[in-house]
Amino acid sequence: MEPALIGTRLASAAIGPLLRKLLAGDGSGAGLTGADRPVRLASLLSFRGEKRTLTEKDVRKLAATLVARTCEGPGEAPFPADETEAVTDALAANLLALGDLDMDDVQAVHLGHEALARRLRAAAPAPDGLTADAVLYLETATAWACRHILEFFTRRPSFVARTLVEQTRGQAALAAKLDAVATANPGPLAEDAAFERRYLAHLAKKHGHLTIHGIDLRDAAEEWPLDVAYLSLEATGGAPDRGPDPAVHSRQEYASLRADLALAAHDRVLLRGLAGSGKTTLVQWLTVSACGTPPADGMDHLHGRVPFVLPLRTLTRHGERLPYAERFLSAADCPLTPPDGWADRVLAAGRGLVLVDGIDEIPQAERGRARDWLRGLLAAYGTGNRWLVTSRPTAVRDDWLAPDGFTELTLSPMSPAEVATFVRRWHRAAGPAAAPYAQQLLDSLRTTEHVARLATNPLMCGLICALHHDRRGYLPRGRKPLYDAALALLLARRDRERGMGAPYGVDLDEAPQIQLVQRLAYWLTLNDRLVMDRAHAQALVTEALPAMGLTDHAPDRVFTHLLHRSGLLREPSADTVDFVHRTFQDHLAAKALVDHWDIGVLVRHATDDSWEDVIRMAVGHARPREAAEILRELLGAADAAASRRTRLRLVLLAATALGHATEVSPEVREEILRRTEKIVPPRTPDEARELAAVGRMVLDLLPGPEEVDDVTAEMVVIAGTHVPGDAAISFLARFAGHPSLDVRAQLVWGWKRFETRPYAEEVIARLDPADLRYLVFDDEQADELLRLGIAPRRLEIGEDVGDDRLAELLDGGDLTTLVVTRGAGHSFPAALSRQGSLAALSLLLPDGLPWKLSDLPPAPLRELYFSSLPADGLDGLGRYPDLRHLSVWRPAPRCEEYWQALTALPRLESLVVEPDTLATCPDGLVLPSVTTLHLSAVPAGSPLGRIFPGLRKVVALHVPLSGAEHLPRGVEVAER
């Protein structure tokens, strides 16, 4: 029989009461414990002491019962049947040995049931002649009996108090010993504390600034305060994105968290991120946060920890072995000399914050050795300390450190909001002279697509900020200078200025690296791919080296260098390669296409959205005659296009590409401008939406508010609000001060199509509110109106606005016009009753939402619409004698009440009515004041002339108006 099965049967509810018979009750007994003495085991046993209730013979019977119970049931017996008596005697002897142990109950529980069982077997006579199965059974049965016995001990009322006394005494004794040690050896402890203060101050100063590599700023400091410039990024759990494999994507569905809080949730973290994604900056932030007193906001989990910053590229730059604790500081170039054994004492106490930065920045052959080194540290100091290891995504395989308890996280690309925050902080950190340029750059990021697409990590955002600042608030015209600066930074200056050396044994200048990655971009774009096989990419590099005179470079090392250190390439999976930014692929492919003069390829793909950037960049790379030819070919393709939309797209593509050309013939320029003037600006809403469908490039061609009249301004704004993405926000902001109500209304309507806060700050907050109805579709928009202190007089509130936000909006202003839509789960807005100035009110309420006319405010209403009938009937309409326009949706089955209520409205001029309701009007009821009806159809035989003798106009809710021939003579039909 398996030991587990024996244990299961011994653990059953029937066995517990049997074993409890071994123990005496909790009564006062003979006073064996005394006032202060431990409770000896002998005093707790029912077969020992003055109050014995069991004899040794009874204990043997109890043992026999236990043996019999365990042998019951189906299955093989745990030992031969002829050994039953011997096993019973041996088990009884083990149980009786409890009375011979010299320990108390607290000591027994601390010992544990298995160790206690070994003590019993050692104290009892050794069984003689038992088979191996019988011996195994005896050991298992004894251990399980001890488990029950110890459980009984812990349930005794006096046990917990006794345990606390023992623990308190033990702690007091330990504290006394430590005090004695400290008194006898005062030097090291005091010396450690003094050194730590110096060390933390040194780290705070060393890592408290950000250094931007690869950027020349004439009038700006090279370093900026970290606490001003640092931006917390998000990290997600699981492996980095590996492509379209569904099984892989399922591993990506993890909640994100702030990267700087990862060590609050996990003791050990392997953080992956692309080159420039902010891994090293995060290490600096954690270091400075741990050094602060008090720590930075939200960083309390680092309080009291001592950082050890271990940049691997520094530790191994001369081939040294990776250091152990006593050499951490010297290996990391710390000038301070710690007391002997200080690092060991810190880590042994579990107070360390070990930050290992840059697994990818050491040669691949050394990474296995680095893991062994790390495992050695964990074996010695794994308890209590916090560990962070950083790497690029594919430098080490998935789960590389998972067996060592590391949680793997990946830094996420920056969101538009994070980019905006980064830009503002960068300009604050760069000093007062840079501050005026921040908003200009934010405008460029939203209107200039190629710039926005580069700004996805701190490195590239920093590059863009620096270039913009260096040019006194202007980014280079066109993309080529910007991308050239980015390529120079990534391919040459960044590693050189960081002292990286040649971790892969390859030292290439910028130009040959560009030629090599350009070949990869050319192949990908020509084949309409974004990813290529690693083997094919390596073959392209190998083929190119002889023509470049680089035959003395090992092709595999050159490729590995490009892949791991260029910052342009990455491995989305173990056997594929792509560019970190599509825009770099487009830029390099365009140059290669011009070099190969593949103009036919460019034109054939001109209607493909994914080739627009390639074509524009090709014009930028081309010489004047080449650029002119590309543009002429685009215009020719437009002439040959069958659809108007395609013609528009090609003409606009030529117009936007023209801005990238360094020089082009006047004839070509004038022809493009002539054609563009025919379609820009748009003349009708349909033309405006058609232009917007072409994409954000139309923003470069649309005129500003100062160049057009009010009608054209409205068409331009319609186009701008239909351009997808946030690039249009800054363009639309130029129209925020326009006096035309139609222009301002279109700008309010467009809010729902853009990111809420930027649009609110740049457009909504600057609108003239006169006669303007604001549209609020969700809680985010409501929050922005409240935050900005905007209190509209005219307001429309959508059903995605929660009840609480709706109440805040209503209480925040004195409204004259209000439209409220409520959905399922919402309540009727009680705050509505406090709006005493309302002249127009529309309530779109779901069926089943109870409300009353008496819930409406005592306001001078002139227009009223509601979609569900009030619970208190329609008689209350008479409270609003100034009502001019009324719409009641589906008044049946209370039509008679509805018509009678209308007679109480002497000034009613306009009425929305359903065709079926007309037939329910009582004979003799007349509404002479109504001059306008809103109808979806006119039923034959409708008594319109009788009910509405003053009727002059019918507004068609559906066009054409069905049954218009049944209208009384002289009634005009109009569209909404």
Side-chain angles (χ1 to χ4, degrees), residues 325-399:
E326 69 275 7
R327 290 188 52 246
F328 275 179
L329 270 59
S330 60
D333 290 337
C334 177
L336 305 180
T337 302
D340 290 342
W342 168 77
D344 174 77
R345 290 191 290 275
V346 169
L347 294 171
R351 297 195 298 119
L353 173 64
V354 184
L355 306 169
V356 181
D357 187 27
I359 288 289
D360 58 299
E361 295 181 347
I362 60 175
Q364 189 169 5
E366 297 181 16
R367 290 172 194 165
R369 185 160 57 87
R371 181 171 57 179
D372 293 339
W373 162 76
L374 185 59
R375 283 176 171 169
L377 292 174
L378 291 169
Y381 308 113
T383 303
N385 298 298
R386 302 291 173 95
W387 306 76
L388 176 74
V389 179
T390 71
S391 172
R392 65 177 175 80
T394 57
V396 293
R397 70 173 189 273
D398 292 349
D399 302 327

Side-chain angles (χ1 to χ4, degrees), residues 68 340 471 517 654 665 670 680 713 791 883 929:
D340 290 342
R471 289 162 174 79
V517 293
S665 66
E670 290 171 7
V680 179
L883 209 60
S929 62

Side-chain angles (χ1 to χ4, degrees), residues 813-974:
D814 189 22
L815 296 167
T816 60
T817 300
L818 176 63
V819 179
V820 175
T821 302
R822 298 286 79 195
H826 287 154
S827 59
F828 186 83
L832 179 60
S833 63
R834 298 188 285 274
Q835 291 295 323
S837 301
L838 278 178
L841 173 63
S842 295
L843 293 173
L844 288 81
L845 307 176
D847 292 338
L849 177 62
W851 71 284
K852 299 177 181 179
L853 273 178
S854 58
D855 294 329
L856 302 186
L861 283 177
R862 296 169 61 88
E863 299 179 17
L864 178 61
Y865 173 91
F866 47 87
S867 61
S868 65
L869 296 175
D872 56 351
L874 298 170
D875 290 342
L877 287 175
R879 297 170 59 202
Y880 304 107
D882 291 330
L883 209 60
R884 302 294 200 273
H885 173 82
L886 177 66
S887 174
V888 180
W889 180 247
R890 294 180 297 180
R894 297 157 70 171
C895 286
E896 184 175 350
E897 179 186 353
Y898 166 72
W899 288 109
Q900 291 298 329
L902 296 184
T903 62
L905 303 173
R907 295 182 176 85
L908 188 65
E909 298 173 354
S910 174
L911 185 66
V912 179
V913 63
E914 296 173 85
D916 294 344
T917 305
L918 290 171
T920 68
C921 181
D923 294 339
L925 189 145
V926 178
L927 299 173
S929 62
V930 175
T931 59
T932 302
L933 288 180
H934 299 254
L935 291 170
S936 58
V938 183
S942 295
L944 294 181
R946 175 181 65 79
I947 305 172
F948 309 106
L951 185 63
R952 298 290 178 266
K953 181 170 68 174
V954 169
V955 178
L957 300 180
H958 294 161
V959 179
L961 179 65
S962 175
E965 66 274 13
H966 304 304
L967 289 173
R969 183 175 300 181
V971 175
E972 171 193 357
V973 177

Side-chain angles (χ1 to χ4, degrees), residues 211-222:
T211 302
I212 302 298
H213 300 278
I215 305 297
D216 296 320
L217 297 177
R218 289 189 296 270
D219 301 322
E222 294 182 358

Side-chain angles (χ1 to χ4, degrees), residues 413-718:
M414 295 171 70
S415 67
E418 289 171 334
V419 171
T421 300
F422 181 97
V423 169
R424 294 188 183 98
R425 291 185 180 179
W426 191 99
H427 285 82
R428 281 204 306 269
Y437 300 125
Q439 189 57 50
Q440 295 180 32
L441 179 54
L442 290 172
D443 293 344
S444 296
L445 286 168
R446 293 194 181 96
T447 58
T448 314
E449 181 180 8
H450 66 277
V451 179
R453 291 175 63 185
L454 275 176
T456 59
N457 64 50
L459 174 68
M460 296 310 301
C461 283
L463 165 69
I464 292 167
C465 290
L467 291 174
H468 184 263
H469 177 274
D470 187 53
R471 289 162 174 79
R472 297 296 188 271
Y474 295 94
L475 287 171
R477 179 177 174 81
R479 307 182 181 188
K480 189 172 182 300
L482 177 62
Y483 292 164
D484 286 345
L487 292 172
L489 170 71
L490 294 172
L491 295 175
R493 297 179 60 179
R494 181 168 171 264
D495 277 359
R496 183 173 64 247
E497 294 177 12
R498 297 175 78 191
M500 285 292 298
Y504 297 98
V506 174
D507 187 11
L508 290 177
D509 291 335
E510 178 185 337
Q513 292 187 76
I514 290 178
Q515 287 292 322
L516 291 171
V517 293
Q518 184 174 300
R519 281 181 171 254
L520 304 181
Y522 177 76
W523 186 93
L524 286 167
T525 303
L526 205 60
N527 290 277
D528 292 326
R529 304 277 184 84
L530 294 176
V531 179
M532 67 192 307
D533 291 341
R534 179 189 173 112
H536 188 63
Q538 189 164 347
L540 290 175
V541 171
T542 301
E543 293 170 5
L545 292 179
M548 299 173 64
L550 298 175
T551 54
D552 56 334
H553 288 69
D556 59 336
R557 292 193 175 185
V558 173
F559 177 76
T560 302
H561 172 83
L562 292 174
L563 186 60
H564 293 171
R565 297 311 316 160
S566 70
L568 293 174
L569 303 175
R570 64 176 182 175
E571 294 174 286
S573 67
D575 56 355
T576 58
V577 176
D578 67 358
F579 280 81
V580 294
H581 294 286
R582 171 66 186 270
T583 188
F584 283 125
Q585 177 184 323
D586 292 345
H587 174 78
L588 293 166
K591 179 67 166 61
L593 284 161
V594 170
D595 290 345
H596 289 84
W597 198 229
D598 289 330
I599 185 173
V601 175
L602 290 170
V603 176
R604 283 197 300 274
H605 289 85
T607 57
D608 186 339
D609 288 345
S610 63
W611 277 71
E612 287 179 0
D613 282 348
V614 177
I615 293 169
R616 284 192 285 260
M617 292 185 204
V619 173
H621 284 296
R623 290 171 293 186
R625 293 179 60 184
E626 296 168 341
E629 185 171 350
I630 294 173
L631 294 171
R632 286 195 194 98
E633 291 290 334
L634 290 174
L635 294 178
D639 292 335
S643 71
R644 172 175 169 80
R645 181 170 178 176
T646 301
R647 291 194 296 273
L648 283 173
R649 176 180 292 277
L650 292 173
V651 171
L652 291 176
L653 180 58
T656 54
L658 180 64
H660 293 264
T662 305
E663 179 183 345
V664 71
S665 66
E667 296 83 3
V668 173
R669 184 180 299 275
E670 290 171 7
E671 174 65 12
I672 292 174
L673 294 176
R674 183 184 65 80
R675 294 197 183 200
T676 303
E677 288 173 356
K678 293 182 178 180
I679 56 177
V680 179
R683 294 160 181 80
T684 67
D686 287 341
E687 285 187 10
R689 288 187 283 269
E690 193 175 32
L691 276 180
V694 173
R696 66 174 66 188
M697 65 180 176
V698 74
L699 297 173
D700 296 332
L701 305 173
L702 291 171
E706 65 282 348
E707 305 170 61
V708 294
D709 58 29
D710 289 358
V711 174
T712 304
E714 182 185 359
M715 299 304 109
V716 170
V717 170
I718 290 174

